[in-house]
Amino acid sequence: DRFVVLAVDDDEDQSLVMRFGREYGLTFNLLLDPGEAVNNLYRIRAIPTSYFVDRDGVIRSMQIGSMTEAQIAYHLSKIIP
């Protein structure tokens, strides 16, 4: 794979998260964050917030709010050679 998409939820019930994924036909991994540990670690203050992390685990780009296809392509260019 050239890249992997992970969605981290904000301390919600698993059944609610899975139902949301089915309702919107999401095909990427939906991860739970009980107690908001990941959200706190990444200092999430707005939803959605997207991080683009390279193969070495280094954050190369970040976007707060929704994105256009052009913005997604721009951020991906920071992590895909």
Side-chain angles (χ1 to χ4, degrees):
D1 293 333
R2 294 191 68 190
F3 65 92
V4 175
V5 175
L6 302 173
V8 180
D9 184 67
D10 186 18
D11 198 26
E12 292 180 304
D13 182 69
Q14 180 179 5
S15 62
L16 179 65
V17 174
M18 296 304 122
R19 186 173 46 225
F20 177 85
R22 283 191 306 275
E23 184 177 321
Y24 287 93
L26 303 180
T27 58
F28 47 84
N29 294 311
L30 302 175
L31 308 175
L32 302 177
D33 186 17
E36 299 179 314
V38 174
N39 279 271
N40 290 331
L41 180 65
Y42 282 82
R43 298 183 178 140
I44 302 299
R45 300 297 173 253
I47 297 174
T49 297
S50 301
Y51 288 91
F52 295 79
V53 182
D54 70 14
R55 290 177 186 259
D56 297 320
V58 176
I59 297 170
R60 297 292 179 188
S61 196
M62 182 260 238
Q63 171 86 28
I64 295 174
S66 59
M67 290 181 279
T68 65
E69 286 186 31
Q71 288 171 313
I72 293 170
Y74 167 78
H75 292 295
L76 288 175
S77 75
K78 302 289 185 178
I79 62 169
I80 297 175

